[in-house]
Amino acid sequence: MKFFKYLTYSLALMLMVVSCDKNEILYDTEPAPEAEFQLHYFEPVANNASNYIDSVYVNGKKVTCVKGGGNLLPFNAVPSGSVGRFFSAPAGSTKLDLYRKGNLIYSVNINLAKGKQNVIVHDFDKDPIILDNGYPYPHVSGNASAATWGTDSLATIMFVNLMYEETGKPYEGKLQYKWQNPRTKEWENLGNPVAFGEATERCPVLVVKSVFNSSGYCRINYKIFTEDGKELQHFNSSGKNVNYSDYWNAYIGRSYMHFLSGIRTSKSVRVAVKQWTSL
């Protein structure tokens, strides 16, 4: 009886081994994406329907379209809809295709690094500009200090120079972005001067809360200076040269990108800064 008992155990064990060998459990998995990017469209053209991008394909896959994520308008970006969204792709070569009214108008292979980046299309005859996104963003709500005491705190800004001098010709000099400290009213440099296609680091700016019991925001004024120390001038809607100046509201703890775009000598595609909220 013991012989048959041990024989039964042995046969059962052999069947288990054979079963495992012939029916290996496999999981349908893919490597996790290593690169993330936001796509910005900054061709210096009029913002009208004839210049909208209807569909965006990444590696042959449609990621946004008129009936899906909507149009990609000049001086805007995708993915949109909420803060901090990125497309994902494997690090290395990535195919990017843009369509307008069903026609392929831009097709390029780009090289994406591991991590987050911003891909900027500014000329359909040239490769896009690829900038490091600066992630992880600086922690701007740390311990109290002379800069953050009381109701004051910080936000961060990255300035990107995409200004053209005339159609088809980027501005050749470097530009210094300045912000007005809302507490001292002094004008301070935001990073170092940058040339076309370059960006500053994410630099802190002081946010003085306008309402104490709130999340906190304030207006911050901005100016731009050329390499000779003069204020940047550009055409207004009347074709008159005027000094650049603008303002944006900044919220405590937020991280922004400021894109300078347009054509300096154009009264139709005028110079302006577009604010993109990164966080």
Side-chain angles (χ1 to χ4, degrees):
M1 294 294 295
K2 287 184 178 181
F3 172 76
F4 289 110
K5 181 179 180 180
Y6 291 143
L7 180 60
T8 301
Y9 288 159
S10 298
L11 289 173
L13 182 60
M14 290 173 65
L15 287 172
M16 289 176 63
V17 171
V18 171
S19 177
C20 290
D21 286 342
K22 290 188 177 181
N23 297 280
E24 182 180 1
I25 300 175
L26 299 175
Y27 295 93
D28 186 16
T29 60
E30 296 180 358
E34 294 181 336
E36 297 179 273
F37 70 97
Q38 295 170 334
L39 176 64
H40 303 260
Y41 174 37
F42 275 88
E43 184 187 18
V45 294
N47 192 349
N48 55 45
S50 64
N51 291 317
Y52 293 173
I53 303 299
D54 297 334
S55 302
V56 176
Y57 285 75
V58 177
N59 290 328
K61 179 182 178 181
K62 184 185 291 184
V63 295
T64 183
C65 63
V66 175
K67 295 182 179 179
N71 296 105
L72 173 55
L73 280 59
F75 315 114
N76 281 277
V78 287
S80 57
S82 61
V83 173
R85 299 180 67 194
F86 289 78
F87 296 125
S88 61
S93 180
T94 291
K95 182 74 176 302
L96 179 65
D97 295 315
L98 306 182
Y99 284 81
R100 176 180 291 150
K101 300 186 184 304
N103 298 313
L104 178 64
I105 60 170
Y106 188 66
S107 181
V108 66
N109 285 300
I110 58 177
N111 190 47
L112 296 175
K114 184 177 180 179
K116 298 180 187 290
Q117 48 242 284
N118 296 80
V119 178
I120 305 167
V121 175
H122 66 97
D123 187 328
F124 289 150
D125 294 323
K126 297 179 181 179
D127 289 337
I129 297 166
I130 302 178
L131 299 175
D132 186 283
N133 181 258
Y135 184 87
Y137 309 132
H139 184 60
V140 295
S141 57
N143 296 328
S145 67
T148 62
W149 185 259
T151 62
D152 294 358
S153 194
L154 304 172
T156 60
I157 309 289
M158 174 188 282
F159 173 68
V160 184
N161 179 4
L162 298 173
M163 187 182 72
Y164 274 71
E165 176 64 18
E166 56 190 45
T167 302
K169 181 182 178 182
Y171 181 78
E172 292 182 351
K174 290 188 175 185
L175 297 173
Q176 176 66 64
Y177 202 42
K178 288 179 178 282
W179 65 286
Q180 187 179 36
N181 188 312
R183 181 65 70 190
T184 67
K185 306 305 180 184
E186 296 292 328
W187 288 95
E188 302 182 17
N189 291 341
L190 193 141
N192 296 319
V194 289
F196 181 88
E198 295 180 344
T200 67
E201 296 180 348
R202 292 187 181 269
C203 303
V205 296
L206 185 67
V207 179
V208 180
K209 290 174 68 172
S210 55
V211 179
F212 183 84
N213 188 23
S214 70
S215 59
Y217 73 93
C218 78
R219 164 178 168 158
I220 297 180
N221 299 319
Y222 297 92
K223 290 184 177 182
I224 302 174
F225 287 78
T226 58
E227 289 178 294
D228 58 6
K230 297 179 180 179
E231 292 190 45
L232 175 69
Q233 291 196 324
H234 64 97
F235 281 11
N236 63 12
S237 59
S238 300
K240 180 181 178 180
N241 257 328
V242 295
N243 291 338
Y244 172 85
S245 64
D246 203 355
Y247 74 90
W248 290 94
N249 288 333
Y251 283 78
I252 289 174
R254 287 292 189 185
S255 193
Y256 303 96
M257 298 181 77
H258 282 191
F259 293 90
L260 175 68
S261 60
I263 302 173
R264 195 185 72 81
T265 55
S266 172
K267 63 180 183 180
S268 56
V269 187
R270 296 189 299 277
V271 166
V273 165
K274 301 294 184 181
Q275 178 168 278
W276 176 261
T277 304
S278 300
L279 175 68

